Amino acid sequence: MERQGERLLVAQNGVYLEIVRPWVRLVRKLGGYDHKTSIPYGDMAEETALHCGRLPVELIRQFADMAMAAYPKETGAWIVWNAATHLFRLVPVTIREHSESHLRYDRPCLSTDDVLLVDCHSHGPSPAYFSPTDDEDDRYDVKFAFVLGNCVSPVPSMALRLCAKGIFEPVEPVPSDWYRAVRRKELS
Ligand SMILES: [Zn+2]
């Protein structure tokens, strides 16, 4: 697929979803067939191609600073990638309501070439994990979702997953330099 968007692919070995964004191309299998009907197409395979390069770990450190400043309340930010300049930056969300256990926010307004890459939120004193509310919030986007938990601990907890239109794929382990970035902050 040449343009941004999504399409369903019917293949001999199942139905696939293809997603194209400036920063990524994904092909994922949605399901197989109940019957051995002849499908007049070839086989597909799952694919992942990341075009944006490696995320600067400094942005994870900046988000950890935000999470500590908001502690014990939750906070959120987007890591945005600009498809024209290939630069990354952290954009705080506009918080409507937040407590130790929930966060309601407005999505940042992005300029034309900006795309959401990592949707970050913190869990205050609780561990990092994806709650049923997070699952519901993450169903529609194509992005990474990142949770920082135990935000003032010497070693905060982290959870990271790829979200692709309701497909959730844990990224485990979370990159070790992300832990180092946050830990260094704690010790300094
Ligand atoms: Zn959460």
Side-chain angles (χ1 to χ4, degrees):
M1 189 162 56
E2 300 294 325
R3 294 182 308 167
Q4 272 203 69
E6 298 97 44
R7 64 178 175 182
L8 290 169
L9 303 167
V10 176
Q12 181 75 244
N13 58 339
V15 175
Y16 287 74
L17 176 64
E18 180 181 21
I19 296 172
V20 175
R21 293 290 184 275
W23 61 277
V24 76
R25 175 175 177 268
L26 297 167
V27 178
R28 290 294 183 273
K29 189 173 185 176
L30 294 179
Y33 303 113
D34 288 341
H35 306 285
K36 288 187 175 175
T37 308
S38 170
I39 306 288
Y41 306 114
D43 283 346
M44 281 295 301
E46 296 196 339
E47 290 175 44
T48 304
L50 266 180
H51 307 306
C52 59
R54 210 169 168 77
L55 182 103
V57 75
E58 174 58 28
L59 297 179
I60 299 301
R61 195 199 320 271
Q62 283 177 23
F63 180 66
D65 288 347
M66 278 183 62
M68 278 185 75
Y71 188 89
K73 292 184 175 181
E74 297 194 359
T75 194
W78 281 8
I79 293 172
V80 164
W81 183 71
N82 187 284
T85 63
H86 293 187
L87 295 175
F88 299 84
R89 67 183 206 280
L90 189 73
V91 182
V93 299
T94 307
I95 292 173
R96 288 180 160 267
E97 259 180 59
H98 63 162
S99 71
E100 274 190 43
S101 58
H102 93 294
L103 171 68
R104 217 158 60 78
Y105 65 88
D106 289 333
R107 296 166 73 93
C109 289
L110 300 182
S111 61
T112 319
D113 292 319
D114 280 340
V115 287
L116 165 61
L117 185 68
V118 189
D119 188 342
C120 310
H121 75 279
S122 65
H123 274 183
S126 305
Y129 68 99
F130 292 102
S131 66
T133 309
D134 295 334
D135 287 349
E136 191 54 38
D137 291 346
D138 288 344
R139 267 181 63 198
Y140 303 98
D141 288 317
V142 181
K143 65 185 179 186
F144 287 98
F146 174 61
V147 185
L148 188 74
N150 310 101
C151 296
V152 293
S153 149
V155 186
S157 53
M158 298 184 184
L160 179 67
R161 67 181 177 187
L162 176 66
C163 308
K165 295 272 161 181
I167 301 165
F168 300 137
E169 295 178 358
V171 179
E172 287 172 341
V174 174
S176 56
D177 57 345
W178 292 24
Y179 282 103
R180 275 199 300 279
V182 171
R183 206 159 37 218
R184 231 180 9 250
K185 168 69 195 163
E186 293 298 325
L187 294 174
S188 62

